[in-house]
Amino acid sequence: MSPDPSAKGTVPFREYRTWYRVTGELGAGRPAVVAVHGGPGSTHDYLLPLARLAEDGWPVVHYDQLGNGGSTHLPDKGAEFWTVELFEEELANLIAQLGIGDDYVLFGQSWGGPLCARHAMTAPAGLRGLVIANAPASYPVWLQEMARLRAQLPPDVQEALLRHEAAGTYDSEEYLAAMRVFYDRHVCRVTPWPRDFLSSFMEIYNDPTVYYAMNGPNEFHVIGSLKDWSIVEDLHRVRTPTLLISGRHDEATPAVVQPYHDGIPGARWEIFEESSHLPHLEEPERFLAVMTDFLKSL
């Protein structure tokens, strides 16, 4: 039996609003787990299974980053508006507005991983733990690994991808079908796709402003502002107890995750053998056990 979400709402951020929901009771003894979604430009929906942690006393905060989901949409803002610093500021603001700054854990998935690592580099006094799941530390390394994974796709799929990328026809049925082959291998190996993942997928499709500006048309064709971005040189500044998570078939390959393991002192790394990019959906029971074990160790 899942706990009922105890609160949903928005907090002010600059002249905008950040949507959030809390499962469980904040300040009741255990640190809040703040779930930071990927994209940039996705939504909280696909991370909803983390709410199960509240059953064991860890309240869980989900939120939608600016530009998506329940937060303020800004479809007319140009690429220069959507910066890493904007989302760092939004995360810090949410933590302050919810009053959890003295006792919290960050869970950053995919793009949320480096975002949370950047937050941890500021050495917040109340940050008890950091989970970096399926995340790049360097987008140049991510792109190298994407190219390697793409080269393993069937030749006709590779040809379709390249042809439509050259033409810019990212919304053609043929391109979407070819893209799906990659996603079924390296993003989510559960078929049919879980409803929570489909919800986030459709949210990006309905308003791709942030995703297109910072990432690009899909996971493996990164042509947005993040394509040259890296935090590898600064990872030694993270002093928070850190858990790394990745899947054996993950688009976040071992080469993508390795810089976190090398750079963050004492980081522990768990690889999920039956998963790709979403172990919390692909191996939910093991994921819950690993998360609970880490949280108890704090």
Side-chain angles (χ1 to χ4, degrees):
M1 182 73 182
S2 291
D4 292 320
S6 54
K8 293 181 184 177
T10 63
V11 296
F13 169 56
R14 297 186 181 178
E15 60 266 47
Y16 316 116
R17 308 292 300 186
T18 299
W19 180 94
Y20 72 91
R21 63 170 262 177
V22 177
T23 309
E25 189 182 344
L26 297 178
R30 283 183 156 168
V33 178
V34 182
V36 183
H37 67 69
S42 185
T43 62
H44 77 284
D45 301 81
Y46 77 101
L47 293 178
L48 279 173
L50 268 74
R52 288 178 65 189
L53 292 167
E55 294 170 21
D56 290 320
W58 287 281
V60 179
V61 177
H62 287 88
Y63 77 106
D64 288 332
Q65 293 163 27
L66 191 66
N68 291 92
S71 296
T72 307
H73 285 239
L74 297 161
D76 298 326
K77 292 289 187 187
E80 70 287 342
F81 176 80
W82 304 106
T83 63
V84 174
E85 292 72 23
L86 172 78
F87 292 107
E88 285 183 66
E89 187 186 330
E90 183 187 33
L91 174 57
N93 177 72
L94 177 75
I95 290 163
Q97 293 276 350
L98 293 179
I100 56 176
D102 58 351
D103 197 25
Y104 65 105
V105 172
L106 288 181
F107 177 91
Q109 201 278 335
S110 200
W111 137 259
L115 182 60
C116 289
R118 287 268 296 200
H119 180 89
M121 288 172 197
T122 66
L127 180 61
R128 303 287 173 238
L130 175 65
V131 183
I132 296 175
N134 323 96
S138 160
Y139 276 84
V141 171
W142 175 268
L143 286 169
Q144 286 169 20
E145 289 298 284
M146 289 297 149
R148 188 174 67 75
L149 294 177
R150 276 179 63 147
Q152 297 170 6
L153 296 173
D156 59 321
V157 174
Q158 294 187 54
E159 187 276 327
L161 291 172
L162 289 168
R163 180 159 37 83
H164 288 287
E165 284 161 6
T169 46
Y170 302 120
D171 52 3
S172 79
E173 288 298 321
E174 187 186 28
Y175 187 73
L176 293 172
M179 191 175 100
R180 179 70 192 245
V181 176
F182 182 94
Y183 276 56
D184 285 344
R185 286 188 181 193
H186 300 299
V187 181
C188 184
R189 293 166 71 86
V190 179
T191 51
W193 281 355
R195 188 184 65 197
D196 294 333
F197 178 50
L198 265 176
S199 297
S200 285
F201 197 79
M202 292 313 298
E203 289 270 11
I204 295 178
Y205 186 79
N206 290 335
D207 186 353
T209 306
V210 183
Y211 192 70
Y212 278 12
M214 295 182 75
N215 187 83
N218 57 47
E219 292 295 283
F220 51 82
H221 193 51
V222 179
I223 53 177
S225 59
L226 287 177
K227 68 181 188 297
D228 300 316
W229 188 64
S230 172
I231 60 168
V232 173
E233 298 302 316
D234 295 319
L235 286 171
H236 65 277
R237 292 167 49 199
V238 177
R239 294 293 184 212
T240 307
T242 300
L243 170 66
L244 308 173
I245 286 173
S246 65
R248 180 62 66 196
H249 309 280
D250 206 330
E251 56 181 357
T253 64
V256 168
V257 180
Q258 191 67 46
Y260 287 112
H261 196 246
D262 294 342
I264 299 176
R268 168 184 150 198
W269 188 356
E270 290 281 346
I271 296 178
F272 287 72
E273 294 296 335
E274 305 302 321
S275 294
S276 56
H277 198 51
L278 304 169
H280 66 281
L281 297 176
E282 296 167 285
E283 293 180 69
E285 296 310 318
R286 176 157 183 246
F287 173 83
L288 189 67
V290 167
M291 279 292 294
T292 303
D293 181 60
F294 175 70
L295 290 169
K296 284 180 175 172
S297 78
L298 304 175

